[in-house]
Amino acid sequence: MATLELKIVTPEGPVYEGTVNSVVLPGSEGQFGVLPEHVRFLAPLKIGEAVISSSDGGDLYAAISGGFTNIDDDKVTVLADACELSHDIDVARAKRASELAEKHIKEFEAEQEEVHSLQEQQAALERALNRIQISGRV
Ligand code: ATP
């Protein structure tokens, strides 16, 4: 069976490297799947879930916090702003981050603060909620 070589790297280092049957990624226009013999492709990623079907069976799930992917000749490289495999997610930390972001969003809305800061807090909330959701994956 044809396979893909998947690498997920972040500014802090590699998160995953292995041979996979397929991978589903959170494209900025929606989730998309990559199978062997995919056309060459460069795509932006948003905050969301990656589903990695490894060649030795079993799926792995990862929280992606945006970035890019490059697909070329059965090599899939994901350059993520941040990425955690589901079992590495610290749920208590993500809950604290979501509560803090929600608090800041309420304050910004009340005080009509800069839209830019509000957007930063909305992105922080989205990252935290994504991590909480994916931490429940097995
Ligand atoms: P926090 O406010 O908790 O730092 P954040 O969304 O601002 O959350 P990021 O800037 O996206 O954090 O990530 C910074 C680093 O911390 C990255 O290496 C990321 O993988 C890691 N990280 C962030 N949140 C978690 C979490 N809940 N569990 C495990 N690793 C996390």
Side-chain angles (χ1 to χ4, degrees), residues 10 12 65 82-84 88-91 93-94 97 124 127-128 131:
T10 73
E12 292 177 24
S65 296
C83 174
E84 306 86 40
D88 290 330
I89 293 173
D90 178 341
V91 184
R93 175 175 168 180
R127 289 195 299 275
R131 285 172 176 133

Side-chain angles (χ1 to χ4, degrees), residues 73-135:
D73 198 19
D74 289 344
K75 287 187 176 49
V76 182
T77 308
V78 175
L79 303 170
D81 297 337
C83 174
E84 306 86 40
L85 294 170
S86 58
H87 54 258
D88 290 330
I89 293 173
D90 178 341
V91 184
R93 175 175 168 180
K95 284 188 177 154
R96 279 197 303 277
S98 75
E99 283 162 12
L100 194 62
E102 275 175 345
K103 181 171 167 276
H104 287 154
I105 287 168
K106 284 201 187 105
E107 285 168 6
F108 287 134
E109 282 169 351
E111 293 168 21
Q112 301 280 312
E113 291 247 6
E114 284 174 63
V115 174
H116 176 64
S117 307
L118 178 60
Q119 284 168 344
E120 274 176 13
Q121 292 307 318
Q122 283 165 336
L125 178 59
E126 202 181 342
R127 289 195 299 275
L129 294 178
N130 186 47
R131 285 172 176 133
I132 291 167
Q133 189 190 338
I134 292 166
S135 69

